[in-house]
Amino acid sequence: MKLSLIFATAISSFFVGATIALGFSDQADALSFSGISTGTWGEPTPGSIDINPNPIYTGVGNNIFTWGDANVCLPSPNPSGCTITGSNKLTFIGNSFSTDINSVFKVGDLAYFNGTVVKGTSVEEVPLNLNVSFSSPVGISQVFDLKLHLVNTPNSVTNSEEENADLVFIDENLSNRTFAFEGNKYTLELTGFNPDVGQISIKALEGGTTKTAIYAKIKSIPEPATVAGLFLLGMYLISSKKLLEKK
Ligand SMILES: [Ca+2]
Ligand SMILES: [Ca+2]
């Protein structure tokens, strides 16, 4: 008699807990996020002094970043002349967005120009400070720090164009990905350069431009209420199994 009373209480408190948890979960899943993204480049990391003893760059604090000394004389059709491609360049242009939770959306366009530059004047990594301003009701602005790794391969006339091509890799690990709204926590997760498959690098031939975009999605972090509900369910199932076994 006493035992059944305990279980009745346990069951009813489980259902109350589950209802609260489901209530939160439904609300979070139905939430959509809209806003505007912008981005500015941060201070780059040149990398090893042996590789880049004379790093040259412009654009910290702007949305156009250049690196490498473009003053290099490439073979030209005119025997006395030089062809200068210009420095390497990354241009980030943010956009407005509207997305549901767990859906991939575009946070900005990225254009990558692969300049042919003087050896030892490049940089190896540049941070992009991605500022996301969420519209009402979320109404918060947050800067997410993401990093791009710049792979500047040495060029050789005996190489193929593909072998001389350079690359940009995106680091998907944001250092400050979490934000809060109405007591619930969310994360912004980078998904890379492609909305459909996990693509973390882009390539451009020497003197060529590759246009791409950066994609992300917003996920909700499970609430303590949900975790508590699941814990209660687990405890209830274990005790009811034990009770059945005893019978
Ligand atoms: Ca290059
Ligand atoms: Ca190269």
Side-chain angles (χ1 to χ4, degrees):
M1 181 66 188
K2 270 184 184 173
L3 199 65
S4 62
L5 190 68
I6 290 165
F7 271 107
T9 315
I11 292 164
S12 67
S13 52
F14 162 67
F15 279 114
V16 171
T19 311
I20 291 167
L22 287 173
F24 271 118
S25 162
D26 280 354
Q27 192 186 21
D29 288 345
L31 197 60
S32 66
F33 295 83
S34 60
I36 294 173
S37 60
T38 56
T40 56
W41 300 102
E43 193 65 36
T45 309
S48 160
I49 195 154
D50 298 330
I51 296 167
N52 291 316
N54 303 303
I56 287 175
Y57 53 89
T58 67
V60 174
N62 295 315
N63 74 318
I64 298 174
F65 178 73
T66 75
W67 72 101
D69 181 357
N71 195 16
V72 56
C73 188
L74 296 173
S76 155
N78 177 351
S80 62
C82 279
T83 302
I84 290 177
T85 63
S87 299
N88 301 293
K89 185 160 75 172
L90 279 171
T91 307
F92 180 82
I93 297 174
N95 50 248
S96 59
F97 63 87
S98 181
T99 183
D100 294 325
I101 206 142
N102 294 323
S103 297
V104 176
F105 67 102
K106 189 171 86 169
V107 292
D109 288 296
L110 187 72
Y112 168 41
F113 172 71
N114 177 2
T116 301
V117 301
V118 179
K119 197 174 175 229
T121 63
S122 285
V123 295
E124 286 190 349
E125 190 177 277
V126 64
L128 177 67
N129 304 312
L130 178 70
N131 189 323
V132 180
S133 293
F134 292 105
S135 310
S136 179
V138 180
I140 59 165
S141 260
Q142 186 160 327
V143 176
F144 300 92
D145 301 319
L146 66 100
K147 286 192 189 88
L148 296 177
H149 300 289
L150 314 171
V151 178
N152 310 281
T153 64
N155 303 325
S156 161
V157 285
T158 56
N159 281 355
S160 68
E161 280 199 320
E162 281 290 321
E163 285 167 329
N164 282 336
D166 295 343
L167 301 115
V168 172
F169 284 83
I170 191 165
D171 185 344
E172 295 160 294
N173 299 308
L174 292 169
S175 54
N176 57 337
R177 60 175 66 188
T178 308
F179 63 97
F181 169 61
E182 284 189 346
N184 294 322
K185 282 186 178 168
Y186 302 91
T187 56
L188 183 80
E189 312 242 326
L190 288 181
T191 60
F193 294 124
N194 189 309
D196 304 315
V197 294
Q199 183 193 338
I200 60 160
S201 71
I202 49 169
K203 190 185 224 182
L205 300 180
E206 290 296 323
T209 298
T210 295
K211 288 182 175 173
T212 186
I214 299 175
Y215 298 89
K217 63 179 161 186
I218 295 167
K219 286 182 171 179
S220 69
I221 299 175
E223 277 306 290
T226 312
V227 176
L230 289 172
F231 177 72
L232 268 175
L233 174 64
M235 291 301 287
Y236 166 68
L237 290 175
I238 289 163
S239 3
S240 55
K241 190 167 178 279
K242 277 184 181 163
L243 196 70
L244 285 172
E245 280 166 354
K246 275 180 187 164
K247 280 179 179 173

